[in-house]
Amino acid sequence: MLANQMTLADAIAKIDWLFGCDRVLKEFDSDITVSYYTQSEWGYQTYHSGQDVIHMALNFDGVFDPDGYYAQPKVVAEQINKFGANDVLELGCGKGFNSRFLAQQYPEVHFTGIDITPLHIKIARQKARAFSNLTFQEGNFNDLEFPDRSFDIVFAFECLCHAPQAKIPLAEIFRVLRPGGQLIIFDGYRNTKLEQLPKLFQTATQLTEISMAVQHGFGEIEEWTANAKSIGFQIQTIENLSSAVQPTVSRLKKLSVRFFSLSWKAKLIANLLPKYLIRNSIAGLLMPFTLNPEGGSLGYYKLILKRP
């Protein structure tokens, strides 16, 4: 079946045939983050970006361009310029792409990156040797090992979605931010409560989430921002950028369609390659439906929050 003719029901049927939807969904509430990123490293490097990028590219003209990977850190750069930040913390820094980019531009600013995946930190440290203003360390955003009021800016790209309870990292971030400090987030959120979606979309949403190791699923945007306000944050910006990630979504869809079209060979590959690596194909097949700017269950958002 041609990719542009595939319905959501068709996509789920293909996933069920290859992986078994019930088997995949059994891990919906499991913490598989480190295993997922460790097993997926080769896939990210080969098919996503050879520059160590993990997050989506933002291409506002609708055409994929790898320069779009710099769109998110450039927003951080704007805030550094605006507020004259001296100390910046990146949560879920991955292999250090964003902080390296910023550290090169702002040698007078000190950048710290933390990540819970040892492999990521190993790679990030190797590539940061030339920077005296950049350090990476293993760390968990649920329990930040920094004194109160240590940073002017904290940023998190596509990582806070892995927090089972949003209030825990939000409280920690609020604690380590200085008064007037900024929290900058680019991440996925549910546009509405799961139970309000049609049954097929509920299944598709949860399959998308677990194939990207999002434990318990993405937070619902209104509930998440309400939690942030209850911690004490002021919400300065909420912007749905789902349209800008569609070129990346289309690239991933093509890869997934190609994989699923291998039929019995796909089953053989799925049995040979690491489980969480190959499950990325589920998200690739479903995101054109779930992350669709026109009626999708998920949205890709930019948020800027302030500690008063």
Side-chain angles (χ1 to χ4, degrees), residues 119-130:
L119 176 62
H120 284 176
I121 293 300
K122 179 181 178 181
I123 295 170
R125 283 174 172 168
Q126 289 172 346
K127 299 198 172 188
R129 290 172 180 168

Side-chain angles (χ1 to χ4, degrees), residues 12 37 41-42 45 64 91 103 140 142 154 163 219 246 265 290:
I12 291 178
Y37 282 108
E41 167 57 21
W42 174 79
Q45 188 74 17
F64 178 79
L91 306 178
N140 191 322
N142 291 306
V154 176
Q246 292 310 302
K265 292 180 182 178
T290 57

Side-chain angles (χ1 to χ4, degrees), residues 4-287:
N4 59 0
Q5 297 177 331
M6 188 181 298
T7 66
L8 180 57
D10 294 329
I12 291 178
K14 286 179 178 292
I15 293 164
D16 193 44
W17 172 79
L18 183 55
F19 294 102
C21 291
D22 289 341
R23 288 198 301 274
V24 175
L25 290 172
K26 280 181 180 178
E27 292 190 81
F28 186 72
D29 295 321
S30 302
D31 182 2
I32 59 172
T33 306
V34 173
S35 296
Y36 167 78
Y37 282 108
T38 302
Q39 291 185 15
S40 297
E41 167 57 21
W42 174 79
Y44 273 102
Q45 188 74 17
T46 304
Y47 296 111
H48 188 65
S49 165
Q51 298 173 287
D52 296 325
V53 183
I54 294 177
H55 61 264
M56 297 264 200
L58 297 178
N59 298 121
F60 294 93
D61 62 358
V63 179
F64 178 79
D65 187 329
D67 282 349
Y69 291 127
Y70 294 94
Q72 292 93 330
K74 284 180 178 178
V75 171
V76 178
E78 292 171 2
Q79 298 300 309
I80 291 173
N81 291 334
K82 184 176 180 180
F83 296 101
N86 294 310
D87 299 288
V88 177
L89 172 65
E90 180 179 10
L91 306 178
C93 64
K95 295 171 280 184
F97 171 85
N98 301 300
S99 287
R100 278 202 319 273
F101 170 74
L102 292 165
Q104 188 171 20
Q105 292 188 69
Y106 299 96
E108 74 286 358
V109 178
H110 187 266
F111 296 87
T112 303
I114 69 164
D115 199 283
I116 63 170
T117 304
L119 176 62
H120 284 176
I121 293 300
K122 179 181 178 181
I123 295 170
R125 283 174 172 168
Q126 289 172 346
K127 299 198 172 188
R129 290 172 180 168
F131 298 91
S132 60
N133 62 328
L134 175 59
T135 58
F136 292 106
Q137 62 190 65
E138 288 186 37
N140 191 322
F141 51 52
N142 291 306
D143 185 17
L144 296 174
E145 297 180 355
F146 304 105
D148 295 356
R149 303 184 178 192
S150 295
F151 299 98
D152 303 299
I153 291 175
V154 176
F155 68 96
F157 299 164
E158 302 178 27
C159 67
L160 289 178
C161 57
H162 296 292
Q165 299 180 55
K167 281 190 174 183
I168 295 176
L170 281 170
E172 278 292 272
I173 296 165
F174 191 89
R175 178 182 65 78
V176 302
L177 273 174
R178 293 170 182 143
Q182 307 287 310
L183 169 59
I184 303 163
I185 298 169
F186 287 86
D187 216 333
Y189 294 89
R190 291 177 180 172
N191 290 320
T192 188
K193 295 185 182 301
L194 187 70
E195 58 269 21
Q196 294 177 350
L197 296 169
K199 187 64 178 177
L200 199 63
F201 250 93
Q202 290 184 32
T203 300
T205 300
Q206 291 182 301
L207 285 170
T208 302
E209 292 165 337
I210 191 55
S211 65
M212 295 188 289
V214 181
Q215 187 181 6
H216 306 314
F218 290 108
E220 191 268 312
I221 186 64
E222 290 187 5
E223 181 180 345
W224 193 95
T225 52
N227 283 328
K229 290 177 182 177
S230 72
I231 297 295
F233 279 107
Q234 294 176 350
I235 312 294
Q236 297 191 312
T237 300
I238 302 178
E239 189 175 357
N240 189 330
L241 300 179
S242 298
S243 295
V245 299
Q246 292 310 302
T248 299
V249 169
S250 295
R251 289 180 75 233
L252 298 175
K253 173 187 175 181
K254 288 177 182 178
L255 288 169
S256 293
V257 168
R258 192 183 310 162
F259 171 65
F260 277 92
S261 68
L262 294 174
S263 189
W264 65 268
K265 292 180 182 178
K267 281 206 170 187
L268 179 62
I269 293 170
N271 286 325
L272 292 175
L273 292 182
K275 177 171 67 173
Y276 300 126
L277 166 64
I278 208 66
R279 278 190 188 175
N280 281 290
S281 62
I282 296 175
L285 205 63
L286 292 178
M287 279 194 296

